[in-house]
Structures are given as C-alpha cells and as structure tokens.
Amino acid sequence: SLERLVQSYRRSQLRQVVTEHILTNLSDSPFTCISAALDVLRTCTGGSHVPMALAALGISEEAIKCVVQAFGSDNEGAGDYTELATCCAELAEDLLDHALWRVFMAAGEDHRGVVAVAELERALLEDGGKRALASARQLAGSSVSSTGGGDLAGGVEPSRQGIDSGLGDIVRQIANGQLEISFEDLKAAIIHRQSA
C-alpha cells in the first residue's frame, strides 16, 4: 500500500541521516571515515548490546535513540544492526572516493586514474600550508611532524620549509618509490592504513 511505501521511504531517509551523523561524530575528515566505519562494524558485530557499545564509542544518547529508531527492531534497542554497519561502510567509501577525486583533479589527473607523485605533492602544497600537511597526514595515516617549526597538534605554527619537508616525506611514503600513483592504489593504501 501507499502508506507502507511512504513509511519505508521515511525510514530510509532517517537511516541516511543517522549514518551521516554517526560518521561525522566518529571521524574528522573523509580520509578517516574508513576507520570510523570499521569501529561501527566491530560494534555491530561484536555480540554486545549495540546501543551501549555505541555510547562507549562516544555517540550521544540522542544519536543512539535515532539509531535505535532507524535500525532497531524494537524500542529496547534489540535488532540486527548489520545494516547500520553496511550503511556506514558504503558512505565512508563514497566520502573517501569523492575526497580522493578532488585531490586527483587538483593534481591534474589525466583521466587514466593516475597522477604523478610530484603533481600530487604540488596540488597538496597549493592547498595552502597547514591544511596541505594535515590532508597529507590523513592520507598517510601518519603522525609525521613538521621539521623546523614544531608539530601542528602542539599548536606551534610550522614553517613553510617544515611543511614542504613533511609533505614530501608523506607523499613519497604513499607512493612507495613509484613516480606515479593510481587512484585505486592510493585508496587501497588509505584503507589498509586505517584497517591496521
């Protein structure tokens, strides 16, 4: 009936909003969403009471109520939350794909899905100082500190030389000695680093 179709659509929309909210709260960028999605997967398949396990991850009580409403089968929080894990994984991969596409376009990708390592580094540098180094760190899953200016986490402003040096190290680490890097190889490296 039409009423069931409307209810199904509303529940689907609620699931999408809840999934976005969960990933936003568990990650700080599209480059770290995979790690957040893996946390949700472990939570949903770990055999524990999922709402309590989500609270342990730092999800608010209000957000957990929305999760139960969208994915639970009753008001007590029971249900099969594998759909939540699936939705988080799919959204995380979509966000990562989009973020990498933007990086590749900025680096002058030539529609082969491959970019020169030097161009990748240049594109990240043109992004501007601290943001470029932070993006590269997220790409690499690294905590490489900038030389000559202190660490960003410590609140000390890095020098341009420190940014260039740290960024170059990170890009070369991702490229693993290659002159070019493919979209799929970069994506796989990011997923591997976050899965470890």
Side-chain angles (χ1 to χ4, degrees):
S1 83
L2 183 58
E3 186 175 321
R4 278 190 171 163
L5 186 59
V6 169
Q7 286 176 345
S8 177
Y9 174 76
R10 285 184 180 152
R11 186 170 179 136
S12 173
Q13 292 299 106
L14 178 61
R15 285 179 170 193
Q16 182 179 359
V17 168
V18 168
T19 300
E20 290 173 6
H21 183 76
I22 296 296
L23 283 182
T24 301
N25 282 297
L26 293 178
S27 64
D28 57 359
S29 82
F31 299 111
T32 60
C33 281
I34 297 295
S35 169
L38 290 170
D39 288 344
V40 172
L41 175 65
R42 285 187 285 274
T43 297
C44 292
T45 59
S48 62
H49 188 254
V50 171
M52 287 176 38
L54 288 172
L57 287 177
I59 303 299
S60 71
E61 187 175 325
E62 183 178 325
I64 292 170
K65 286 179 184 176
C66 290
V67 167
V68 170
Q69 182 181 0
F71 294 96
S73 60
D74 65 30
N75 290 332
E76 300 298 316
D80 181 9
Y81 289 93
T82 55
E83 184 68 22
L84 171 62
T86 300
C87 289
C88 284
E90 289 172 356
L91 179 58
E93 187 171 2
D94 288 349
L95 292 170
L96 179 60
D97 282 345
H98 182 72
L100 289 175
W101 175 80
R102 289 178 56 202
V103 169
F104 266 60
M105 291 296 104
E109 186 269 339
D110 62 2
H111 305 290
R112 295 181 304 136
V114 175
V115 69
V117 172
E119 291 301 312
L120 176 61
E121 185 174 348
R122 180 198 52 75
L124 289 170
L125 283 171
E126 286 177 0
D127 183 45
K130 292 186 289 185
R131 274 193 2 213
L133 185 56
S135 296
R137 283 183 177 162
Q138 289 172 345
L139 282 171
S142 172
S143 61
V144 175
S145 64
S146 23
T147 58
D151 186 49
L152 291 176
V156 178
E157 194 69 25
S159 68
R160 183 67 189 188
Q161 179 185 8
I163 291 169
D164 292 349
S165 173
L167 184 57
D169 291 345
I170 292 168
V171 170
R172 285 186 292 279
Q173 180 185 14
I174 294 169
N176 196 25
Q178 301 294 317
L179 296 177
E180 293 183 324
I181 188 164
S182 74
F183 182 92
E184 291 302 320
D185 287 345
L186 182 56
K187 180 179 171 181
I190 293 167
I191 291 171
H192 175 75
R193 289 172 189 276
Q194 290 187 34
S195 301

